[in-house]
Amino acid sequence: MQKLAVLALVLAITAAKFVDTHTSLAQINADPFGHVVLSAIKAHLLAQTPANEVNMLLNGVGAGIVQDQNDHDHAFELDTTTNNRIVEDLEKEILYHQNQISSNTQLRDDTIEALAVSEEDIRVTIQDIANNEATYAREEATRNQQHETFVAKVAAIDDVIDAIDEAAKLIQHLSLGASFAQLKSKYDTLHKKLSDNTSHSALLQPVITALTELATHGVNQKALTKIAQLLSEIRQQLVSEKAAKTDVEDRQAAHWAEFSVHLSNEHTRLVERKAQLEVQIQEQKDTIEDAQSWIEFHTLELENSEERLAGQQAWYAVQSEIYETQTAERQAQQEIVDRLQEHISEKLSTTAQFIASRN
């Protein structure tokens, strides 16, 4: 409103050039500044001061207006320079915080995705460890069972071989002339041992039958030779069976030795992988937490910088308005001084009469 009023005054004074002196002076007198100046001129006129001193007065007032404007221009120039520097610094701060928010947001989001992958990896790794341990336990139990079976079967074969060897000795004694009656006790023990065997009952049945016939029909060399041959063949079969089972046992033991090493190495690798993933996951969680903290920090700083920028811009807008208003006021004041100097120079009598008649 004040700027509009000053502008209106300038327009009015300019238009006054085209109206009569009395009207022009009345317009000047209506302005507070013009009223003060006219009052000063009136004092000089009452004191009958020469016209040139009145002009000197007006020149001094005009010079003061120019000096005030120069001072104001300089001050506003300094304000503008300072404002531009502060605004530039604040805009750089704002850009910096925006970039930090953007980069940390990207880092946080990328790390969240990487964390999901790591957590899936460790889940799979933990399951692989469990599967590995279950496989090891199952295969170890299988291997132990195989070994126990082998030991039991070999022991059974050894028992049968011992019984065959006892039967061979018995046949040998009979072949050398010992009477059946002398060996009856050993015969009965051996016969029972062979009859009670369940692991090789089918293999031993011919021997049991031959010995039974020997006891029933009496001892003869032909029968003894036949039994001895049968015992030798059965013993050879038993030895071959034991060798075959031993070979299977050796191969199974070698396979387990190799496979158990593989499982152990795989278990070590998986456990190390799990430990690495745990460290990686913790680092990723720390990264996410740090990035979020920086996002929050730079968000607050950004808001602060934006508030300071808005405040600085508002302050400069006020200073600009004050500058424009005061500049317009000084222009109006200078116009008043110029008009008065014109009136005094060209129409001193009319001007003096108007000044003398005003309140």
Side-chain angles (χ1 to χ4, degrees):
M1 292 299 291
Q2 188 177 9
K3 290 169 64 176
L4 291 174
V6 171
L7 180 60
L9 176 62
V10 172
L11 292 174
I13 293 173
T14 303
K17 294 179 181 179
F18 304 99
V19 297
D20 61 84
T21 302
H22 188 275
T23 301
S24 176
L25 291 172
Q27 291 173 344
I28 293 172
N29 187 58
D31 178 77
F33 173 77
H35 184 81
V36 171
V37 174
L38 287 175
S39 296
I41 294 174
K42 180 179 181 179
H44 278 273
L45 292 176
L46 291 175
Q48 296 183 346
T49 301
N52 65 326
E53 291 188 13
V54 173
N55 279 325
M56 291 177 61
L57 169 65
L58 291 174
N59 288 337
V61 172
I65 293 172
V66 171
Q67 184 59 50
D68 286 347
Q69 185 61 42
N70 289 339
D71 292 343
H72 196 187
D73 287 343
H74 180 67
F76 185 68
E77 182 180 353
L78 292 177
D79 286 345
T80 299
T81 300
T82 300
N83 175 76
N84 291 342
R85 178 181 56 77
I86 293 174
V87 168
E88 182 181 358
D89 290 344
L90 288 172
E91 287 176 343
K92 288 180 180 178
E93 284 184 17
I94 289 171
L95 181 60
Y96 169 74
H97 293 308
Q98 289 174 335
N99 289 337
Q100 288 299 309
I101 291 171
S102 177
S103 62
N104 278 283
T105 299
Q106 187 65 50
L107 174 62
R108 180 199 63 189
D109 294 345
D110 290 346
T111 308
I112 288 174
E113 292 181 5
L115 175 61
V117 174
S118 298
E119 288 177 335
E120 176 61 18
D121 285 348
I122 199 170
R123 185 194 67 78
V124 172
T125 301
I126 290 172
Q127 184 60 51
D128 288 345
I129 291 173
N131 292 340
N132 174 277
E133 292 174 348
T135 299
Y136 191 97
R138 182 179 65 253
E139 294 299 323
E140 184 179 43
T142 299
R143 176 63 199 128
N144 290 339
Q145 183 61 47
Q146 289 172 343
H147 182 69
E148 290 174 4
T149 300
F150 165 75
V151 171
K153 288 185 176 182
V154 167
I157 291 173
D158 287 340
D159 288 344
V160 176
I161 289 174
D162 290 343
I164 293 298
D165 288 343
E166 290 177 18
K169 288 179 182 180
L170 178 66
I171 297 302
Q172 185 181 18
H173 286 315
L174 291 173
S175 297
L176 293 175
S179 66
F180 188 81
Q182 291 175 326
L183 300 175
K184 182 66 167 63
S185 176
K186 290 184 177 181
Y187 170 85
D188 290 341
T189 301
L190 177 61
H191 191 278
K192 184 177 187 309
K193 185 176 182 179
L194 294 172
S195 298
D196 290 344
N197 183 274
T198 57
S199 63
H200 294 78
S201 57
L203 181 64
L204 295 175
Q205 188 59 47
V207 177
I208 296 171
T209 300
L211 290 175
T212 300
E213 290 178 353
L214 186 66
T216 304
H217 299 98
V219 177
N220 61 80
Q221 194 61 40
K222 184 178 180 180
L224 291 176
T225 301
K226 183 179 179 181
I227 293 173
Q229 180 63 34
L230 179 61
L231 290 172
S232 177
E233 293 174 356
I234 292 174
R235 191 180 196 284
Q236 185 58 44
Q237 292 183 43
L238 290 169
V239 170
S240 297
E241 180 184 355
K242 180 178 179 180
K245 291 188 180 301
T246 301
D247 180 63
V248 172
E249 167 66 12
D250 289 344
R251 284 188 284 108
Q252 289 177 335
H255 172 73
W256 169 242
E258 181 180 352
F259 190 45
S260 64
V261 169
H262 167 72
L263 289 174
S264 296
N265 290 340
E266 182 67 7
H267 187 270
T268 299
R269 185 189 71 80
L270 290 170
V271 169
E272 290 176 351
R273 173 62 174 162
K274 176 175 175 287
Q276 292 171 353
L277 286 170
E278 288 173 340
V279 172
Q280 179 174 298
I281 286 171
Q282 186 56 53
E283 290 176 347
Q284 289 170 335
K285 288 181 177 179
D286 291 343
T287 297
I288 292 170
E289 183 178 352
D290 289 344
Q292 184 60 39
S293 296
W294 282 117
I295 290 170
E296 294 172 359
F297 169 78
H298 286 292
T299 298
L300 290 176
E301 290 298 310
L302 175 61
E303 292 174 355
N304 178 264
S305 297
E306 289 175 337
E307 289 177 0
R308 288 162 56 201
L309 177 60
Q312 180 64 31
Q313 291 172 332
W315 174 85
Y316 185 70
V318 171
Q319 300 308 309
S320 297
E321 184 176 2
I322 292 173
Y323 172 77
E324 292 173 2
T325 299
Q326 292 183 354
T327 296
E329 289 176 352
R330 291 189 186 92
Q331 289 174 347
Q333 291 170 358
Q334 186 62 52
E335 182 68 19
I336 288 173
V337 171
D338 292 343
R339 296 298 296 162
L340 286 174
Q341 285 179 323
E342 178 184 348
H343 287 306
I344 289 174
S345 298
E346 299 176 0
K347 305 171 185 178
L348 178 59
S349 176
T350 304
T351 303
Q353 290 176 2
F354 176 83
I355 294 173
S357 65
R358 62 187 285 278
N359 295 327

